[in-house]
Every structure is written in structure tokens, then in C-alpha cells.
Amino acid sequence: NQHFSAGNSENSIEAHVGINGEANLDFLNIPLTIPEMTLPYTTLTTPPLKDFSLWEKTGLKEFLKTTKQSFDLSIKAQYKKNKDKHSIATPLGVFYKFISQHVNSFNRRWEKVRDSALDFLTSSYNETKIKFDTYRAEKSLNKFPRTFQIPGYTIPVVNIEVSPLTVEMLAFGHVIPEAISTPNVTVLGSGSYVPSYTLVLPSLELPTLHIPWNLHKLSLPDFKELSAVNNIFIPAMGNITYDFSFKSSVITLNTNAGLYNQSDIVAHFLSSSSSTIDALQYKLEGTSSLTRKRGLKLATALSLSNELVEGSHDSTISLTKKNMEASMTTTAKVQIPILRMNFKQELSGNTKSKPTVSSSVQLKYDFNSTALFSTAKGAVDHKFSLESLTSYFSIESSTKGGIKGSVLSQGYSGTITSEANTYLNSKGTRSSVKLQGASKVDHIW
């Protein structure tokens, strides 16, 4: 089943789509039997397959739970109109003033063009008419009219007699006829008779051209100066919302999104699911807002929660006439059977007293795979900072990392430390770099 609707009213515009249906998967329960077969052009044979159930052997039974499947899909979008309007300055008064000052000049030029066009049309037509009349008179005096005649004939079997067809042409041309005489038709032996008719065409001549006197009074419309419009009003953005829903026997999905124009501009997103399978359940939510009070401030927050993956993100950017400030924090967590990992990143900067930027990254992980006979556990920590003024420039960076684990039951470990800094001013430059590392493999070094 399908359903669609749309509407536009004074306050909102909206559209909705709905689809639902059912499916019967009982045919997957029918056991399959495939005999042994030899692959073409080879000597390879496939083993026989007997009483194989797609529903049970492929895992569909645990995933879908039942062979009776149904779904319901719904999508809805809506725009709520805003009564407020934005005003854009447009100095149209200058344009109106220019038109009013030159309207009389425009009218005089129009009258000259109008009279010249009518005079040219009249004189050209009269000159053409005189030449045509002279040519026709000369040809009529020097030549006699010609007559073309198609002889009569009798149609056999039906005994129909047709008299001659006569066409009289004009004296000064052989294309345009002056008169046409149709043949008479007689059906022999029956007394039926169709008489002849003569069709006389009007003589070819150009009529006298009369220009309507109203055309000589054709003028431009009067220009009346209205009140000057110095602003154009554009409707303000309204609120936009979107809803999505999908339901089945396995999973249910819901998604909502919206863009709202109020005192602040806010965008919000939320998506979640519920399922009989824990790994398919999640929640994703995000919000972003733009504040226009005392400058501009953009704030964004994003979060994800799931049995296997979790994460969050928060960032803020602020702009004022005297300062710029930004910060960002991102965290992530992975929990799968062979890997545990935690990640965190922080970044911040501002220009309050002096431009500064600082960043830190932390990573911890634990890998353990019995199938590969391998393990790895370690951590990485990185820090970075920058300061700058017109008198000096400074950069500092440090990295620490360590790992311990085994490959095929062979143990190993290692550490690394790195430090670097640079300082620059008008008197000179100072830099230092330090790198230290260690590693160990059991029974090797």
C-alpha cells in the first residue's frame, strides 16, 4: 500500500509519504536436494546436497525469527512559514528621478520615429503599387490572353463521357489563371448529366493603402511618479522539520531532523534504532546552534552510542570584534571481541592576550586475538602548543608511546619519547630536539 499527500497553507507547507507491505518467506523452509554435478570443461565434481534448508542453515531463522515479514515506512517533511521579513535597502528614488527628468525627451523621440516609420511604409507601398499596375498594363497591351485546354475523353466499362477542360490565363503571366471552365460529365445510356461550370477569378491588383488616423496619435503611456520604494522585503526563513520512520519485525528506525530560525539558528538531528539484535541498536544525536548576540558563536555537539562503538564531539567557535576563540573535544571508544580502544583529542585556541593554540591526543588500545595467537597493548600521548606575538614566536611538541604484546607467542615491547621546541625573537633563535626509544623481543634482544 502507498499513500502520498502534500499541502500548502498560509502557515506551512508539508508533504507525507507512507508505504507498508507484507512478505511470506515460507518457501525458504522447503528442503533443497542437489545431486552431484561435474563442472563443465573440468574434471571437478560438486558434492551432493540433500535436504538443505536455507531458513535454518544460513542463519535466517535466528536473524528474522519468523517467515511472516512486514514493514511500514513513513516520511514527513514540513516547513513552517515565518511572518517576519528582512529589509534590503534599494535606492530606487534615483531611478524614478532620472525617468521623470527625461520623459519629455523620450516622447519627442518616439513621435519622430513613429512618423518616419509610417511615412516610409506608405511611400514604399504606393511605389510598389504604381510599378505593378504599369507592368500589368504593358503586358496586357502587347500580349493576348492564352487558353489551355485538356481534350475530352470517354471512360470505358462505365461509359462516362467527359468534355474538354478549359483554363484561360492572364495576358501578363502564365501562372495565375483568369477563368476555369470545368468539363461536363455524361453517363451514356442512362441520361445522367453534370453540366459545365465557369469559375472566374478576381483580377490580381494591389488595393489602395489607407493608414488609420489613430496610428498618427500613437504615443507612449503617461509616466506618473509613485512614492519612492527604497526597501525590498524578503520573508525570513522559517522552521524546517523532517521525520523518517521504518518498522519491521527485525529493526525499527526513527530519524528526526530540524532547522529552526528563532532568536538563534539551531539545527538538530536525532536517529535511533531498536532491534532484537543488540549490535543493531544505536542512538546518534547532533545539535548545532548559531548565536548572533555580541558577535557570532557557533556551537556543535555530536554523540553516538552503540554496543560496539561510542563517541562524542563538542566544538565551539566564537568571533567578536576584539577576540576569536575556538575549542574542540573529540572522544571515541571501540569495544569489539578482539579490540578495546579509547581515543581522545582536545584542541583550543584564542587571541585574548596573545594568539595561542594547544592540542593533545591520547590513544589507548588492547588487541587480543586467540585465532592469530597475537596480543598488543599500548598507549600514545601527544601534546602541542603554540604562542605568538609581534616580539616572539614559540612552538613546543612532545610525544610518548609504548607497546607490549606478542606475535605467535613471541613476546615483544617498546617505548618511544620525543620532545621538540623552538623559540624565535628579534635577538635570535633557540631550538632543541630530543628523541629516545627502546625495544625488546624475548630471547632475541
Side-chain angles (χ1 to χ4, degrees), residues 55-252:
W55 178 253
E56 296 182 356
K57 300 299 183 179
T58 60
L60 292 176
K61 181 177 181 180
E62 287 73 19
F63 182 72
L64 299 179
K65 302 301 181 182
T66 177
T67 57
K68 306 296 183 181
Q69 298 295 316
S70 62
F71 72 93
D72 189 350
L73 174 67
S74 176
I75 301 175
K76 182 180 180 181
Q78 185 181 54
Y79 174 74
K80 292 186 177 181
K81 301 177 183 179
N82 195 333
K83 301 297 183 181
D84 298 334
K85 297 182 179 180
H86 297 296
S87 177
I88 300 177
T90 54
L92 297 179
V94 178
F95 175 74
Y96 291 155
K97 184 177 180 181
F98 174 81
I99 293 296
S100 61
Q101 291 176 350
H102 296 80
V103 64
N104 294 329
S105 176
F106 291 155
N107 286 331
R108 288 192 297 270
R109 292 184 180 181
W110 162 255
E111 291 174 358
K112 291 181 179 180
V113 172
R114 177 199 61 195
D115 296 339
S116 298
L118 293 177
D119 292 341
F120 175 77
L121 176 62
T122 304
S123 60
S124 298
Y125 182 84
N126 292 333
E127 183 179 352
T128 303
K129 184 177 184 302
I130 293 172
K131 291 181 178 181
F132 179 77
D133 293 342
T134 303
Y135 172 79
R136 186 180 62 175
E138 292 177 353
K139 293 295 183 179
S140 299
L141 292 175
N142 298 331
K143 295 184 179 181
F144 296 100
R146 294 188 177 186
T147 301
F148 294 93
Q149 188 178 59
I150 300 176
Y153 53 90
T154 301
I155 302 176
V157 181
V158 293
N159 293 327
I160 297 178
E161 184 180 44
V162 182
S163 66
L165 171 67
T166 304
V167 180
E168 183 178 351
M169 309 301 294
L170 293 174
F172 62 91
H174 304 289
V175 177
I176 303 175
E178 182 178 8
I180 300 174
S181 297
T182 63
N184 56 54
V185 180
T186 303
V187 180
L188 302 176
S190 65
S192 299
Y193 175 78
V194 178
S196 174
Y197 297 94
T198 300
L199 176 63
V200 180
L201 301 178
S203 60
L204 181 63
E205 62 179 10
L206 294 178
T208 303
L209 179 65
H210 297 283
I211 302 297
W213 63 271
N214 289 333
L215 291 179
H216 292 280
K217 295 186 178 182
L218 185 64
S219 62
L220 294 175
D222 295 334
F223 177 80
K224 182 179 181 181
E225 182 178 357
L226 303 176
S227 58
V229 179
N230 295 321
N231 294 279
I232 295 178
F233 296 94
I234 299 177
M237 184 186 71
N239 298 332
I240 303 174
T241 57
Y242 170 82
D243 298 301
F244 172 86
S245 175
F246 177 81
K247 297 179 181 180
S248 69
S249 58
V250 178
I251 190 172
T252 299

Side-chain angles (χ1 to χ4, degrees), residues 32 143 297 366:
L32 298 178
K143 295 184 179 181
K297 181 179 180 181
D366 186 357

